Amino acid sequence: MVERTPILNFVTHLVLFIGFMLAVAPFVIVAIAASHNLKEVNDVPMPLLPGGDFWANIKTAWITAGLGPKLLNSFIFAAGVAAGKVIISALTAFSIVYFRYPGRTLIFWLIFITLMLPLEVRIVPTYAVAANVLSPYQAILDVTGLSWLIEKISGVQVSLSLGLLNSYTGLILPLIATATGTFLYRQFFLTVPDELTEAARMDGAGALRFFIDILLPLSRTNMAALGTIMFLWAWNQYLWPLLVTTDPAHATAVTELKQLIPNVGGIPEWNIAMAGTLIVMLPPLVVVVAMQRWFVRGLIATEK
Amino acid sequence: MATVDLKDAKKVYSSGVEAVKGVSIAIPDKELCVLVGPSGCGKSTLLRMIAGLETISSGTVAIDGKIVNAVGPAERDIAMVFQNYALYPHMKVYDNMAYGLRNRGTPKDEIDSRVRSTAKVLELSALLDRRPRELSGGQRQRVAMGRAIVRNPKVFLFDEPLSNLDAKLRGQMRVEIKNLQRTLGVTSIYVTHDQLEAMTLADILVVMNAGLVEQIGAPLDIYEAPASTFVASFIGAPPMNLLALTGGLSGPTLADGTAIGFAPADTKAATLGFRPEDADVTFNAKAPSGALVLPATVEAVEPVGAESFLHCAAGGVRIVMRVAGRAAARPGDQLRVVARAEKLHWFDKTGKRVG
Ligand SMILES: Nc1ncnc2c1ncn2[C@@H]1O[C@H](COP(=O)(O)OP(=O)(O)OP(=O)(O)O)[C@@H](O)[C@H]1O
Ligand SMILES: [Mg+2]
């Protein structure tokens, strides 16, 4: 039941307003700090009204941290991860929902188990693999004694190596696998009526045609949702890009922010650091605003 | 264009349910065959076996003389109209109809002309740019029909296509489907549990019960000579009145002990039946000889306009009589139901017709 009394209205709005202030306060402080010069930002207490050096600080931050190419890196990285996740999870869910093959349940549970192994848990082995994609095979050869055998016979020492450090592939690939996305799609595919699948079969659509012509268009809003969430998630990744990009030229904007953070004993340029933060926050914001229209449309006009 | 032949077709689902227990039907070219039966009797399963959407556990399905057990649904050259229409929600009406043709590699201009001419026949021309959710139920139904017709298949399959429409629209579409089927001359199989639809549409009527065929024949033949008590009570509205017989000393009697007064058509007869319109209702005490005469008490009168139904207690059971126009009887009236012997149906203990 929805109650509407003036008092209740006031209270709900008050609660809403307090929540909003709590959420937005850190952002406001960042924005204010970014608009003062070095002296003002280090005043105690910090001024609570915006200063006049906003654009100058933005410019300094942009140049100092070399944010132009870093933002591009970040964008390619986050878009790559989001696209990869959307595609991979759609494909895996398609396979799990629409095909009956031996080992299907096993595969389903294997995917499920990866939920318990987030990147942070398996970061060392993942790094080892990224450093040399072929290291697992090398290990197999070594353990089985095959490499010893080959060395004895041919005199060639086997050392397989293919590094992915400092490359977009290395940044993106290990983050693409996603159980969450697979489950999201699985749930959606299960709601697609069987009759639709059968109608497509009668219309001569094979599995791939059905996937491309029927399932993908129907899951547009799902893709938008998953893509946006994953874009944000990837954009904010810190640990993995930090490990994989030893060369600053390949670093992402988020990891490069640390360039702007004052060192101990250095000049406390918090205004510049905050300006840089603002710049790095902007692209995800744009993505969310752009994709929001999709969510809303998807929610209102549910296609039957 | 095509005949459809089922030979002892069976379907056992992996769960162990035996949904179709050996069905043989031969459908001649250009005819409309209606499968009718109560819910869960296996009609949809049988239709889906013909469509190729379910595997056939044993027996054969042949289309145009060719056994298609191992042929995929797309290659059987059949089209199906689903109960919930199953239109592609994201495609316009035009694309819904064109999709099957595109998958078959039909040239673009031919697709266009076929879609447009089919749309014209079904009065969909103005709706080609709409999406399914912008259509009414009846219009969606037409699009589903159009999608089947445009492919020009050998066989049409319909699974309760009208059950989501209101009564009036259902009546209209029924006539329309029959006309279309006749003009196009496409062999069709139509599943319904509505006996009126079954009677009016069918060239061949197949009455199913619990996975088996009870009777196959022309609708009126089945109506006039139902092969079993099941068919007798399923076909016809209101259904046939059935009265169980017990053998008394002086001939068979009804449940309440009334002697029927003459010998049944067959000595094995255990049930007698007559259609509600096949007996006369009279207040006259004098009864003609050689007829079943039942004293009856009117319990309810249902006037429907052109005719009235009298629900009466007679012979220990409840029977329904159909009388023309306004009924003179009132609830509580005592009257006589007189059914001439040649209008009676006789069934044995297992429910099979014996005369
Ligand atoms: N996929 C399935 N797996 C197992 N059993 C099934 C399956 N589909 C149907 N059945 C069973 O097979 C029997 C026949 O089902 P079917 O759908 O053919 O009935 P129907 O005659 O079409 O009924 P209705 O008029 O309600 O549509 C039912 O007992 C049903 O429970
Ligand atoms: Mg059914």
Side-chain angles (χ1 to χ4, degrees):
Chain A
M1 201 175 116
V2 182
E3 290 207 36
R4 279 181 194 283
T5 64
I7 294 177
L8 204 68
N9 264 351
F10 176 76
V11 172
T12 40
H13 275 97
L14 190 70
V15 170
L16 205 64
F17 183 73
I18 293 171
F20 174 73
M21 287 315 284
L22 282 176
V24 92
F27 179 79
V28 171
I29 289 172
V30 167
I32 290 172
S35 65
H36 287 285
N37 60 31
L38 180 59
K39 183 190 154 304
E40 287 160 354
V41 83
N42 283 296
D43 279 350
V44 180
M46 199 191 99
L48 287 177
L49 288 174
D53 293 317
F54 185 72
W55 295 112
N57 289 341
I58 292 278
K59 197 172 161 200
T60 316
W62 183 276
I63 291 166
T64 319
L67 280 182
K70 301 293 161 4
L71 281 174
L72 183 67
N73 276 352
S74 264
F75 191 82
I76 295 175
F77 165 59
V81 169
K85 280 187 186 262
V86 166
I87 294 168
I88 288 279
S89 50
L91 279 173
T92 42
F94 179 54
S95 146
I96 286 172
V97 174
Y98 285 96
F99 294 88
R100 301 277 167 275
Y101 48 87
R104 183 170 134 270
T105 339
L106 181 76
I107 290 173
F108 179 78
W109 284 108
L110 281 177
I111 294 175
F112 190 80
I113 282 173
T114 62
L115 274 180
M116 293 172 230
L117 295 171
L119 184 72
E120 288 74 16
V121 174
R122 56 185 162 87
I123 199 145
V124 172
T126 310
Y127 179 82
V129 172
N132 180 6
V133 177
L134 300 176
S135 61
Y137 302 98
Q138 176 85 51
I140 291 174
L141 290 182
D142 290 348
V143 166
T144 55
L146 274 176
S147 46
W148 175 82
L149 200 67
I150 295 170
E151 196 181 336
K152 279 283 170 263
I153 293 170
S154 61
V156 182
Q157 194 185 357
V158 185
S159 77
L160 307 169
S161 127
L162 172 60
L164 289 180
L165 298 186
N166 290 318
S167 71
Y168 288 125
T169 324
L171 261 177
I172 295 170
L173 218 51
L175 299 189
I176 279 181
T178 161
T180 328
T182 305
F183 286 120
L184 185 82
Y185 271 102
R186 176 176 173 271
Q187 286 323 106
F188 172 71
F189 288 166
L190 288 177
T191 66
V192 173
D194 287 345
E195 284 195 344
L196 213 56
T197 318
E198 291 170 352
R201 274 177 78 191
M202 305 279 300
D203 265 346
L208 205 61
R209 277 248 82 89
F210 172 67
F211 182 65
I212 293 170
D213 290 346
I214 315 281
L215 275 187
L216 286 189
L218 286 181
S219 47
R220 273 178 316 203
T221 47
N222 273 316
M223 283 199 277
L226 186 67
T228 311
I229 293 166
M230 290 310 172
F231 184 90
L232 298 191
W233 178 82
W235 184 274
N236 291 329
Q237 280 299 305
Y238 184 74
L239 190 55
W240 181 248
L242 192 66
L243 277 177
V244 176
T245 55
T246 48
D247 173 4
H250 285 92
T252 63
V254 173
T255 55
E256 283 308 275
L257 267 185
K258 72 174 185 293
Q259 298 271 346
L260 298 176
I261 294 174
N263 292 321
V264 181
I267 311 165
E269 287 178 312
W270 286 108
N271 51 342
I272 309 293
M274 292 303 121
T277 311
L278 277 186
I279 299 175
V280 174
M281 267 159 58
L282 200 62
L285 200 69
V286 171
V287 169
V288 169
V289 170
M291 296 307 260
Q292 193 196 18
R293 296 167 60 216
W294 275 86
F295 296 132
V296 175
R297 199 196 304 171
L299 290 177
I300 293 173
T302 34
E303 292 173 309
K304 285 188 286 185
Chain B
M1 294 224 254
T3 59
V4 177
D5 284 288
L6 308 180
K7 287 219 172 62
D8 201 27
K10 283 186 192 158
K11 175 71 194 180
V12 184
Y13 280 110
S14 51
S15 61
V17 178
E18 198 176 3
V20 176
K21 303 172 183 167
V23 167
S24 302
I25 308 171
I27 305 165
D29 189 20
K30 294 189 181 31
E31 303 234 310
L32 199 163
C33 167
V34 174
L35 304 179
V36 70
S39 188
C41 71
K43 310 178 294 284
S44 296
T45 306
L46 190 60
L47 195 74
R48 292 160 51 78
M49 287 159 73
I50 300 169
L53 297 171
E54 297 288 355
T55 55
I56 297 156
S57 305
S58 74
T60 59
V61 172
I63 296 175
D64 228 359
K66 209 176 110 248
I67 290 177
V68 293
N69 283 30
V71 179
E75 287 78 45
R76 291 189 188 189
D77 199 10
I78 47 193
M80 185 154 169
V81 177
F82 294 86
Q83 182 170 2
N84 297 320
Y85 315 140
L87 300 178
Y88 310 121
H90 58 294
M91 291 189 194
K92 293 182 171 156
V93 169
Y94 183 97
D95 299 306
N96 260 289
M97 288 166 70
Y99 188 62
L101 293 173
R102 284 191 191 131
N103 284 336
R104 281 172 173 72
T106 317
K108 231 182 164 100
D109 42 340
E110 197 193 327
I111 294 181
D112 193 64
S113 72
R114 270 162 79 170
V115 169
R116 286 185 195 285
S117 65
T118 309
K120 207 164 183 185
V121 172
L122 290 168
E123 292 164 31
L124 288 171
S125 300
L127 308 175
L128 285 176
D129 282 330
R130 300 235 194 129
R131 281 176 214 284
R133 74 174 122 85
E134 301 159 346
L135 300 176
S136 73
Q139 288 166 337
R140 285 181 208 180
Q141 216 284 328
R142 276 166 201 276
V143 177
M145 299 262 301
R147 188 169 65 176
I149 292 171
V150 79
R151 291 225 333 254
N152 196 14
K154 283 189 194 152
V155 181
F156 285 144
L157 305 177
F158 300 88
D159 194 349
E160 310 204 17
L162 305 182
S163 58
N164 287 344
L165 303 180
D166 65 59
K168 189 159 168 244
L169 203 52
R170 207 180 309 155
Q172 280 172 17
M173 285 307 290
R174 198 171 65 212
V175 176
E176 211 162 305
I177 288 180
K178 182 73 191 170
N179 283 341
L180 265 175
Q181 193 270 336
R182 200 169 288 148
T183 27
L184 297 172
V186 177
T187 315
S188 304
I189 304 171
Y190 188 108
V191 164
T192 179
H193 57 239
D194 181 60
Q195 63 91 29
L196 182 65
E197 245 171 58
M199 290 295 292
T200 49
L201 281 174
D203 296 314
I204 315 164
L205 184 56
V206 178
V207 185
M208 290 184 66
N209 183 24
L212 286 169
V213 170
E214 286 273 335
Q215 189 170 10
I216 302 183
L220 284 178
D221 291 349
I222 292 183
Y223 186 80
E224 283 161 6
S228 64
T229 47
F230 174 82
V231 178
S233 57
F234 195 82
I235 299 292
M240 184 183 282
N241 297 305
L242 295 170
L243 298 102
L245 299 172
T246 43
L249 284 175
S250 52
T253 59
L254 299 176
D256 65 346
T258 321
I260 64 170
F262 57 94
D266 190 285
T267 48
K268 288 199 296 292
T271 307
L272 81 75
F274 57 91
R275 293 269 177 211
E277 65 274 21
D278 281 347
D280 297 321
V281 176
T282 168
F283 290 99
N284 202 333
K286 226 173 62 199
S289 60
L292 175 73
V293 181
L294 289 176
T297 309
V298 179
E299 291 186 332
V301 180
E302 281 185 323
V304 287
E307 56 197 10
S308 304
F309 301 126
L310 303 184
H311 295 259
C312 312
V317 290
R318 180 172 256 228
I319 64 171
V320 186
M321 302 303 307
R322 188 201 296 263
V323 297
R326 241 175 232 271
R330 296 269 162 280
D333 286 358
Q334 305 282 331
L335 42 73
R336 279 159 183 267
V337 170
V338 180
R340 275 179 297 141
E342 69 266 24
K343 292 286 191 188
L344 296 180
H345 305 257
W346 302 92
F347 304 94
D348 69 9
K349 275 206 299 297
T350 60
K352 277 235 294 290
R353 180 183 193 83
V354 288

